[in-house]
Amino acid sequence: MITLLLGTIAPKGFEHVTGIIEDYITSSFGWYYLIIVSLIIIFCIFLFLAQWACFG
């Protein structure tokens, strides 16, 4: 909720801060970050497709 408010009130400042955070995460964690994000996306796709699966 706070991030939504900050993004609405000061979008340029919010963009700057999130850019700094993203740069830190990608430079510090590198491949680990890429693997975690990929796994989260795969899990979300699985949940989306699981609604049509027949489990018994």
Side-chain angles (χ1 to χ4, degrees), residues 1 7 10-11 13 16-17 22 26 29 33 37-38 40 42 45-47 53:
M1 185 70 170
H16 177 70
V17 171
E22 181 184 6
T26 55
F29 299 106
Y33 173 73
V37 171
S38 298
I40 290 171
I42 290 169
I45 291 171
F46 169 77
L47 289 177

Side-chain angles (χ1 to χ4, degrees), residues 1-55:
M1 185 70 170
I2 294 172
T3 56
L4 178 65
L5 185 63
L6 288 175
T8 304
I9 293 173
K12 291 291 183 184
F14 186 72
E15 180 182 358
H16 177 70
V17 171
T18 54
I20 291 171
I21 292 170
E22 181 184 6
D23 289 341
Y24 173 76
I25 290 173
T26 55
S27 66
S28 298
F29 299 106
W31 283 103
Y32 180 72
Y33 173 73
L34 181 65
I35 290 170
I36 293 297
V37 171
S38 298
L39 289 174
I40 290 171
I41 291 171
I42 290 169
F43 181 68
C44 289
I45 291 171
F46 169 77
L47 289 177
F48 177 74
L49 295 176
Q51 64 185 343
W52 292 295
C54 181
F55 294 111

